[in-house]
């Protein structure tokens, strides 16, 4: 593994999951690997789990961590090739990425989509620019179209909680007052396609995700039908992909509650957090024994540590 900006960068998921389980059992076993190494975390957007879990993973590995919030620290960056820099941007990514690469052994980038320019968002222009111009491996801490660290934590959580060899996993759209990216669902879909699961996506008609990503996956527009006999329910909102970035449906009947969960096979409820209570999912479900959102969040540390370990091994 040379970088981790997409679930597609995982060549052997079974091998990665075995490493994640081993790391979770003994988080400090790889301290020598991280000794005298530095991870730079660059945030263009807010973070709680990603920032803290990645910093915890770095500590477990005996590494150092440098953090910058680039929206209010450092110079404004220019990303366009050939730009005449007579505007607000003070530094070009070409210099910035190479300079940061001299200070850090790995670089993590968090950059949300605009949800206005689909082509620009799908090009992942910020993360892709760092990959292009950095001389060290780059990790996506969530980009415009993917959140691969979250997806690995999701996969580890399903492995830990499944009670049958091939569980039924349902990704369910749910309402939300804000327009949200497709990053988490995109990466979750890619991850489920790599796993041995019976995978179904359910959402209102018109809320289809990128067809290149959902290709080959069962899509059910009737939420109740999708939930029947499910072993895992992953609740998540995403804004409209066709009418890009818009909220074209906020149907409260899609809020996940006991009515839907009673249709399942005593399913576990998952969510990447933060979650809007009684909008995405009811208190009754989120506070119940079926909710595994807290251990799922805990696995963010081990997913980050697994990826960092894999990248460090390639530096040797």
């Amino acid at each position: 593994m040379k970088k981790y900006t997409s679930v597609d960068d995982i060549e052997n998921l079974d091998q990665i999951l075995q490493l994640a389980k081993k790391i979770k059992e003994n988080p400090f076993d790889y301290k020598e690997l991280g000794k005298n190494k530095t991870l730079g975390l660059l945030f263009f957007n807010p973070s709680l789990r990603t920032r803290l879990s990645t910093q915890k993973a770095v500590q477990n590995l005996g590494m150092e961590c440098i953090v910058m919030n680039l929206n209010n620290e450092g110079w404004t960056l220019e990303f366009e090739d050939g730009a005449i820099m007579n505007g607000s941007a003070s530094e070009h990514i070409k210099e910035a990425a190479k300079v940061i690469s001299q200070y850090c052994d790995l670089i993590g980038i968090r950059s949300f989509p605009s949800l206005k320019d689909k082509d620009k968002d799908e090009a992942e222009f910020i993360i892709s620019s760092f990959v292009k111009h950095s001389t060290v491996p780059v990790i996506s801490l969530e980009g415009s179209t993917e959140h691969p660290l979250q997806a690995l934590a999701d996969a580890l959580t399903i492995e830990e909680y499944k009670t049958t060899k091939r569980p039924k996993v349902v990704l369910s759209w749910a309402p939300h007052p804000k327009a949200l990216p497709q990053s988490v669902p995109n990466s979750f879909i890619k991850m489920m396609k790599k796993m041995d699961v019976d995978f179904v996506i359910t959402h209102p008609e018109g809320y289809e995700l990128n067809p290149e990503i959902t290709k080959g996956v069962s899509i059910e527009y009737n939420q109740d039908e999708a939930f029947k006999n499910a072993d895992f329910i992953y609740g998540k909102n995403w804004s409209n992909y066709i009418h890009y970035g818009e909220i074209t449906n906020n149907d409260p009947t899609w809020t996940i509650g006991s009515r839907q969960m009673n249709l399942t096979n005593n399913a576990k409820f998952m969510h990447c957090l933060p979650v809007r209570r009684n909008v995405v999912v009811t208190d009754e479900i989120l506070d119940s024994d079926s909710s595994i959102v807290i251990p799922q969040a805990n696995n963010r540390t081990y997913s980050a540590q697994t990826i960092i370990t894999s990248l460090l091994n390639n530096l040797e």
Side-chain angles (χ1 to χ4, degrees), residues 141-160:
L141 307 174
E142 185 174 3
S144 297
T145 62
E146 282 208 49
H147 197 345
L149 286 177
Q150 178 67 55
L152 182 53
D154 299 337
L156 178 59
T157 304
I158 289 171
E159 278 292 298
E160 290 175 334

Side-chain angles (χ1 to χ4, degrees), residues 294-312:
I294 302 303
Q296 180 185 358
N298 186 45
N299 279 338
R300 290 296 307 279
T301 295
Y302 307 111
S303 69
Q305 195 170 337
T306 299
I307 294 305
I308 295 167
T309 299
S310 298
L311 293 172
L312 287 176

Side-chain angles (χ1 to χ4, degrees), residues 7-8 17 33 82 116 123 131 149 155 177 180 190 192 231 233 243 284:
V7 171
D8 297 333
L17 285 173
L33 184 64
K116 298 184 184 302
V131 170
L149 286 177
L180 296 186
K190 287 186 174 187
M192 292 305 99
D231 298 293
I233 301 295
H243 302 285
E284 182 181 11

Side-chain angles (χ1 to χ4, degrees), residues 27-312:
F28 308 114
D29 274 4
Y30 294 87
K31 271 189 175 288
E32 283 302 309
L33 184 64
K35 187 177 179 181
N36 299 326
K37 298 290 195 301
T38 301
L39 171 63
L41 300 181
L42 308 180
F43 290 91
F44 289 87
N45 298 98
S47 177
L48 190 152
R49 275 149 296 277
T50 300
R51 176 169 174 168
L52 296 182
S53 63
T54 306
Q55 286 185 276
K56 177 66 174 176
V58 165
Q59 290 175 358
N60 288 349
L61 285 166
M63 298 177 70
E64 297 296 327
C65 191
I66 300 172
V67 181
M68 283 193 73
N69 297 300
L70 289 178
N71 279 347
N72 51 36
E73 298 175 345
W75 302 110
T76 302
L77 295 178
E78 175 61 64
F79 291 89
E80 297 295 335
D81 285 342
I84 299 172
M85 291 177 56
N86 58 0
S88 60
S90 303
E91 183 162 14
H92 202 282
I93 184 63
K94 290 183 178 181
E95 288 77 50
K98 289 181 175 66
V99 168
I100 296 166
S101 298
Q102 294 179 120
Y103 304 150
C104 304
D105 299 282
L106 306 171
I107 300 174
I109 313 288
R110 184 174 179 89
S111 174
F112 291 171
S114 67
L115 291 178
K116 298 184 184 302
D117 187 331
K118 184 191 287 187
D119 290 340
K120 193 172 185 178
D121 287 346
E122 291 193 330
E124 291 281 5
F125 78 101
I126 291 180
I127 291 178
S128 295
S129 294
F130 273 96
V131 170
K132 180 179 179 181
H133 298 294
S134 299
T135 57
V136 298
V138 172
I139 302 169
S140 170
L141 307 174
E142 185 174 3
S144 297
T145 62
E146 282 208 49
H147 197 345
L149 286 177
Q150 178 67 55
L152 182 53
D154 299 337
L156 178 59
T157 304
I158 289 171
E159 278 292 298
E160 290 175 334
Y161 282 88
K162 70 180 184 181
T163 58
T164 184
K165 179 175 172 56
R166 193 169 191 268
K168 180 179 178 180
V169 180
V170 178
L171 171 64
S172 177
W173 180 92
H176 198 285
K178 293 176 63 179
L180 296 186
Q182 291 103 32
S183 311
V184 169
N186 284 345
S187 284
F188 186 71
I189 292 164
K190 287 186 174 187
M191 189 64 77
M192 292 305 99
K193 289 169 81 169
K194 288 178 175 287
M195 295 183 72
D196 185 17
V197 296
D198 176 13
F199 183 47
V200 178
I201 304 170
T202 184
H203 57 72
E205 290 192 59
Y207 259 78
E208 290 78 9
L209 290 158
N210 184 338
E212 290 300 311
I213 294 174
T214 60
K215 186 177 181 179
V217 177
S218 175
I219 298 173
E220 172 59 66
Y221 298 123
N222 184 316
Q223 191 187 40
D224 287 359
E225 282 297 317
F227 274 49
K228 287 180 179 177
N229 300 314
D231 298 293
F232 293 91
I233 301 295
Y234 199 121
K236 187 72 185 81
N237 174 267
W238 56 88
S239 57
N240 200 298
Y241 179 76
I242 301 165
H243 302 285
Y244 190 64
E246 295 182 19
I247 299 174
T248 56
N249 190 323
N250 240 338
D251 185 352
T253 65
W254 280 78
T255 297
I256 299 167
S258 58
R259 179 184 64 78
Q260 295 99 322
M261 293 298 286
N262 286 338
L263 298 169
T264 71
N265 182 30
N266 296 313
K268 297 298 185 184
F269 177 79
M270 300 176 67
H271 190 281
C272 60
L273 301 182
V275 64
R276 299 282 184 125
R277 284 175 173 261
N278 302 307
V279 177
V280 172
V281 59
T282 63
D283 285 339
E284 182 181 11
I285 299 305
L286 203 54
D287 294 329
S288 72
D289 290 340
S290 66
S291 174
I292 55 172
V293 299
I294 302 303
Q296 180 185 358
N298 186 45
N299 279 338
R300 290 296 307 279
T301 295
Y302 307 111
S303 69
Q305 195 170 337
T306 299
I307 294 305
I308 295 167
T309 299
S310 298
L311 293 172
L312 287 176

